[in-house]
């Protein structure tokens, strides 16, 4: 994610299914409508990230920091959220 290091924060509709993003820092990024199905996001910093309508089915979100994340209509079917911090995460409907 060199783009993030260069200051890019808009990853809307990104195709990251099956990606190994363990421990990545995507704090404050826009990942709305992104495909993160089966991605490894364990221990990732997703604080304040927009994950609205994102596809996170079967994603590994163990110990991920999702504080203040936007999860409206996110697909979290069979996602592993053990130990994830969802404090003040905003979600209206989770699929």
């Amino acid at each position: 994610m060199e783009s993030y290091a260069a200051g890019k924060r808009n990853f809307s509709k990104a195709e990251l299914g099956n990606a190994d993003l363990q421990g990545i820092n995507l704090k404050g990024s826009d990942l709305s409508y992104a495909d993160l199905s089966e991605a490894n996001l364990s221990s990732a910093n997703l604080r304040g990230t927009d994950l609205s309508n994102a596809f996170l089915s079967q994603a590994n979100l163990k110990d991920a920091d999702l504080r203040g994340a936007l999860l409206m209509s996110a697909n979290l079917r069979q996602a592993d959220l053990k130990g994830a911090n969802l404090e003040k995460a905003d979600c209206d409907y989770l699929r």
Side-chain angles (χ1 to χ4, degrees):
M1 303 290 322
E2 295 170 12
S3 297
Y4 183 89
K8 181 177 178 181
R9 298 295 181 267
N10 186 350
F11 300 101
S12 181
K13 299 182 183 176
E15 298 289 333
L16 296 167
N18 293 303
D20 185 3
L21 302 170
Q22 181 177 5
I24 196 162
N25 179 3
L26 292 171
K27 181 179 177 182
S29 293
D30 180 358
L31 287 163
S32 58
Y33 296 94
D35 179 5
L36 292 156
S37 55
E38 299 182 33
N40 180 5
L41 291 158
S42 61
S43 302
N45 182 354
L46 301 170
R47 191 173 184 172
T49 298
D50 184 355
L51 292 160
S52 304
N53 297 289
F55 299 99
L56 291 151
S57 60
Q58 298 180 10
N60 179 356
L61 291 158
K62 283 183 186 176
D63 301 315
D65 186 352
L66 290 157
R67 287 177 287 176
L70 303 176
L71 294 162
M72 280 80 68
S73 298
N75 183 339
L76 288 161
R77 188 170 292 137
Q78 296 182 338
D80 189 346
L81 291 160
K82 289 181 189 135
N85 188 340
L86 293 158
E87 182 182 335
K88 297 186 180 178
D90 193 0
C91 53
D92 60 352
Y93 168 71
L94 297 177
R95 292 185 270 153

